[in-house]
Amino acid sequence: MPIDITDVLKRGYSRSTERNGLTLMGIIFVISVLDGVLGLGVDRLNAGQQFANSGQVDPTLLVPSLGAGIVSLLLGIALLVVSIAAIRVFVSDETERLPREYFTRNMVWAAINLFVGVIVFGIIVALGLVAFVVPGIFLLVTLAFWTVYVAVEDQNFITAFRSSWGLTRGYRLNLFVLGVAVFFLVVLINLVFGLGDLASGSLAGDIVALVFAQAASAITTVFSTAVLATAYTELTADEDDEFGETASDDEDTTAGRPAA
């Protein structure tokens, strides 16, 4: 039975606008803005010092750049942890709180697999896109749920690829249409918030543009994650129902057999 795309989008929107969904948006927004402002500050500082030194390279420039790099790395790790927790939140029935265990349970294992898996996934899809596009789109759809299996089921990324492949069997056209719908919604949101680029040029203007861009990113990230988790829960529920019906049929068949 095909999934109801409109219903999945509505439920994904509803989950992303619940209390914990909005909280996740806020956390992602703050982390991203801090990282962006840090980068802007270092770039301006380096540009100013190089100009003052008449284009000569000043070794002291490495100090703020190195410090900013370390802080940026920590912020990136924090964003990865929040992304994993967001998947766990939206797969659950929790709509108010952000349970602590979602941010801690097997987090190192999940983070490493997600980090490495993203690289491998990107390479696989990119190779597929190079091969006449269609294989790349097919792989993008069939492997769409691997992050959920890593975050929720504690699978390694290779097993997660296999699990996603099996879960999407029979639903791939449906999921492709769902992905296209999400893509256009994300593009629309980015276009609206992209108006902040009109203010760029000065430091204040660049910060305004950054805030708008990261607000759009936080919204689309949480919404996309909520839709992905919603589709996952619906597909796994259908899978369980199908398994239950098969088991029930087997029991009925066995019950109808004469005793040996």
Side-chain angles (χ1 to χ4, degrees), residues 45-61:
L45 177 63
N46 289 346
Q49 290 187 1
Q50 286 180 355
F51 178 77
N53 293 328
S54 302
Q56 296 179 358
V57 179
D58 186 350
T60 60
L61 295 178

Side-chain angles (χ1 to χ4, degrees), residues 35-48:
D35 191 33
V37 170
L38 181 65
L40 283 175
V42 171
D43 289 343
R44 294 258 174 182
L45 177 63
N46 289 346

Side-chain angles (χ1 to χ4, degrees), residues 34-103:
L34 286 175
D35 191 33
V37 170
L38 181 65
L40 283 175
V42 171
D43 289 343
R44 294 258 174 182
L45 177 63
N46 289 346
Q49 290 187 1
Q50 286 180 355
F51 178 77
N53 293 328
S54 302
Q56 296 179 358
V57 179
D58 186 350
T60 60
L61 295 178
L62 297 176
V63 177
S65 297
L66 180 60
I70 294 173
V71 174
S72 182
L73 175 62
L74 294 175
L75 290 173
I77 293 173
L79 195 59
L80 181 61
V81 170
V82 174
S83 299
I84 294 171
I87 296 174
R88 293 172 174 175
V89 167
F90 291 132
V91 167
S92 73
D93 295 326
E94 184 64 61
T95 59
E96 295 294 319
R97 301 181 306 111
L98 294 175
R100 181 178 179 181
E101 60 267 24
Y102 291 170
F103 292 84

Side-chain angles (χ1 to χ4, degrees), residues 19-34:
R19 182 176 179 179
N20 51 16
L22 294 175
T23 302
L24 286 167
M25 283 186 198
I27 294 172
I28 293 172
F29 173 73
V30 170
I31 293 174
S32 301
V33 168
L34 286 175

Side-chain angles (χ1 to χ4, degrees), residues 15-16 44-45 55 81 92 107 111 130 164 200 213 220 227 245 251 254:
R15 288 303 305 269
S16 61
R44 294 258 174 182
L45 177 63
V81 170
S92 73
M107 184 53 70
V130 170
S164 181
S200 61
T220 55
V227 170
E245 290 175 1
E251 289 175 1
T254 304

Side-chain angles (χ1 to χ4, degrees), residues 2 10 19 29 34 39 42 59 66 77-78 98 105 118 124 129 142 171-172 181 183 206 218-219 237:
K10 287 181 178 178
R19 182 176 179 179
F29 173 73
L34 286 175
V42 171
L66 180 60
I77 293 173
L98 294 175
R105 181 177 58 81
V118 164
I124 291 173
L129 290 173
T142 55
Y171 300 94
R172 287 163 186 163
F183 172 78
D206 288 346
I219 293 170

Side-chain angles (χ1 to χ4, degrees), residues 177-199:
V177 176
L178 176 63
V180 170
V182 171
F183 172 78
F184 279 112
L185 288 172
V186 168
V187 169
L188 179 61
I189 293 171
N190 280 310
L191 285 175
V192 172
F193 281 84
L195 296 175
D197 290 338
L198 298 176

